[in-house]
Amino acid sequence: MAATRTGEPRPAPAPNQAMRELRGNLSPREFATLVRRAAREIGEHVSCDARYVGRVEAGEIRCPNYAYQRVFRHMWPEKSLADLGFAPRKTVRRELPHAEPDTGIGTVEPNTGDPGTGAAAHPAPDPAARPLTQPSTDPPTDPPTGPATGPAVPAGLPDLSQQSDEENDDVLRRTFLNGAPAAMATALGAGRSPQPADPPLLAAPQPPPPPERRRVGAAEVRGVEQAVRDIRLLDDVHGADTLFELAGQSLRSAYVLLNDGEYNTETERRLQCGAGELAISVGWLAHDSNRLMDARSFYSEALATARMAQDAGLEAHVFSNIAFLARDAGQAREALRAAQAGQAAAAGLGSDRLRSLLALREASGWARLGDRGACQQALHRAYALFDRGPRDADPEWMSFFGEAELAGQEAQCWSALGEWERASTRAEQAVGLQHPHFVRNRALYIAELAHDRLGRGDLAGAAVQGSEAVALLGQVRSARIRGMLAHTADRLRGHSAVAEVRDFLAGYDDAAAA
């Protein structure tokens, strides 16, 4: 039975002006997205949404729970809780003597000034409210519009370079939400029970009813598989930044099918493989967007899925991406171990091209450890395997791996070893060999070539290549490539007497400010 309160009515809470000012021009939904993203950076899980932001700003939440406190301190390390407009916990407890004790568990919202967590503070809780004990599930920017009855494959790649940001978002939303992923999302949505309202104060919590199981068949599996293809195609052309959030929604829909659906053994196998590949794709988008911790989390999820499914091909793919991520994160030993584990997984798959790529990953690890001899041996093995040619067993996701990628990866090895002439030569070959469709990779190789020419002291050559890469930034949205160009620009700023350097810096600064 819920506790009751007597006495004078509680005065209306004072608005939290500090948090309102920190939100600035962002909408409550956009601000909530930033809070969730900050939580993921430190390993927290909070279900922040526009409703929560509104309650904070209205002063209804006098003191956030410990999880939110950690997130807010991560976002604004120079500010105390008082600076953020919150009251001390002990003060709020004195005002609410019958409040539920705060256990300190990060994902439970204590009833200390937050009227949405107990019957005493909120006599009629919203039955549709999502309790904060649930994992964060970032809502889509807008609900899907249009039919969602089956996997609809886009007729062609949308040309994002010729459209405004608002139009780009609309194209991507249609691609990911109105087609195959929408079919996935709706396959089980109608049968899922609504989240239960928060229990009344002092009442024993009741477990939520199990979701109704819905049949999952070939159409839903094709939807997952098509979502993977769509993400790869768009990433090849445009880079990761615009795709990451929307692709994450497709991944969540796939795991709804896998965890809440009912299917036969063959469907389960394909669904596990599809969900794992989708997790890898989203992890790569996080990596290319410089969200390295997010990428690690998605890859861990994919690796667990691969091992539960006993799928060696999926496992080899995950280890290839983990090795790449570890290299960029400065973890050379981990990159080396992941590459070697990937080669072990791929040994019996019959794909020489896959083994070649994994040998390149190993070479990169040795290069960053400064072991030139081991790096050369791995490079020799990579080229020997590549020269055996393509096979029917080559994975579909390896469409990017050709002579250009081989040369580009070798260039990065020589760059890590400080051998700038060899690095520049191979990077230049990579640029010349790259197929025009792979715009993101072309921009990457040009940015690498600018870096390598700067390494050998060719200021003008580095600036010319940098300008070429900047010209592609309107088409490519990749935080990783922008970071490479920013590093080159920083190193060239002391040499603006060189005409090519001045031109590059002017173009780069304009692009960075846009």
Side-chain angles (χ1 to χ4, degrees), residues 146-452:
T149 56
V153 182
L157 293 175
D159 185 4
L160 302 187
S161 63
Q162 303 300 319
Q163 302 175 70
S164 67
D165 289 342
E166 183 177 351
E167 289 170 331
N168 291 347
D169 290 343
D170 185 60
V171 169
L172 291 166
R173 192 173 295 115
R174 289 198 305 272
T175 301
F176 288 109
L177 300 183
N178 288 358
M184 295 188 293
T186 57
L188 293 169
R192 301 196 70 179
S193 303
Q195 297 289 351
D198 293 324
L201 193 64
L202 303 181
Q206 298 297 318
E212 181 182 339
R213 318 268 316 168
R214 288 297 187 91
R215 190 71 184 172
V216 177
E220 289 77 20
V221 174
R222 286 196 299 271
V224 175
E225 294 168 346
Q226 188 61 44
V228 175
R229 297 186 185 100
D230 292 341
I231 290 170
R232 288 175 185 154
L233 286 171
L234 289 168
D235 174 54
D236 288 341
V237 179
H238 301 294
D241 290 3
T242 311
L243 305 176
F244 174 67
E245 294 292 344
L246 293 174
Q249 295 165 24
S250 295
L251 177 61
R252 286 188 289 275
S253 297
Y255 275 107
V256 167
L257 295 178
L258 188 58
N259 294 328
D260 294 347
E262 184 177 292
Y263 34 71
N264 60 31
T265 302
E266 174 60 20
T267 299
E268 179 181 27
R269 184 193 65 78
R270 287 181 59 192
L271 196 53
Q272 281 184 311
C273 184
E277 289 290 351
L278 195 51
I280 294 173
S281 293
V282 178
W284 162 247
L285 296 178
H287 180 178
D288 200 40
S289 301
N290 274 345
R291 299 173 170 98
L292 301 190
M293 292 303 295
D294 284 342
R296 178 180 289 273
S297 175
F298 286 119
Y299 290 158
S300 296
E301 193 169 10
L303 183 59
T305 301
R307 287 180 167 170
M308 286 188 288
Q310 299 181 345
D311 190 317
L314 182 57
E315 185 171 339
H317 189 183
V318 180
F319 277 127
S320 173
N321 281 43
I322 290 175
F324 198 6
L325 174 67
R327 187 205 73 174
D328 282 1
Q331 303 294 328
R333 285 287 179 191
E334 182 183 355
L336 184 61
R337 289 194 298 269
Q340 291 170 340
Q343 290 174 81
L349 297 176
S351 173
D352 293 323
R353 290 289 169 91
L354 175 57
R355 294 170 62 203
S356 173
L357 176 61
L358 289 161
L360 279 176
R361 299 282 192 250
E362 179 184 344
S364 183
W366 287 121
R368 278 153 183 76
L369 289 170
D371 193 329
R372 189 179 189 278
C375 175
Q376 281 189 300
Q377 290 179 10
L379 285 173
H380 177 76
R381 193 163 66 252
Y383 272 89
L385 289 165
F386 185 90
D387 289 343
R388 294 181 183 178
R391 293 176 179 267
D392 292 341
D394 294 340
E396 181 181 344
W397 59 266
M398 289 192 66
S399 59
F400 73 95
F401 186 59
E403 292 184 3
E405 181 71 9
L406 191 66
Q409 290 292 317
E410 183 186 355
Q412 293 178 21
C413 291
W414 296 124
S415 175
L417 290 167
E419 298 195 21
W420 303 112
E421 288 291 341
R422 299 184 73 168
S424 297
T425 298
R426 297 303 281 151
E428 191 169 6
Q429 290 174 346
V431 173
L433 290 167
Q434 184 57 64
H435 190 281
H437 166 71
F438 294 95
V439 182
R440 189 196 62 82
N441 277 7
R442 180 174 176 79
L444 175 67
Y445 300 150
I446 294 173
E448 175 68 29
L449 180 55
H451 170 75
D452 295 340

Side-chain angles (χ1 to χ4, degrees), residues 4 7 14 18 20-21 77 99 116 126 134 154 172 181-182 212 232-233 345 402 444 450 454 502 505:
T4 59
R20 176 61 189 90
E21 291 175 357
D126 180 2
Q134 297 298 321
L172 291 166
E212 181 182 339
R232 288 175 185 154
L233 286 171
L444 175 67
L454 183 56
R502 284 198 306 274
L505 292 176

Side-chain angles (χ1 to χ4, degrees), residues 30 79 95 104 109-110 113 137 145 162 210 224 281 303 310 329 352 405 432 450 461 490 495 498:
E30 291 169 335
K79 294 183 181 293
E95 295 173 359
E109 190 73 46
T137 53
T145 57
Q162 303 300 319
V224 175
S281 293
L303 183 59
Q310 299 181 345
D352 293 323
E405 181 71 9
D490 288 344
H495 305 280
V498 179

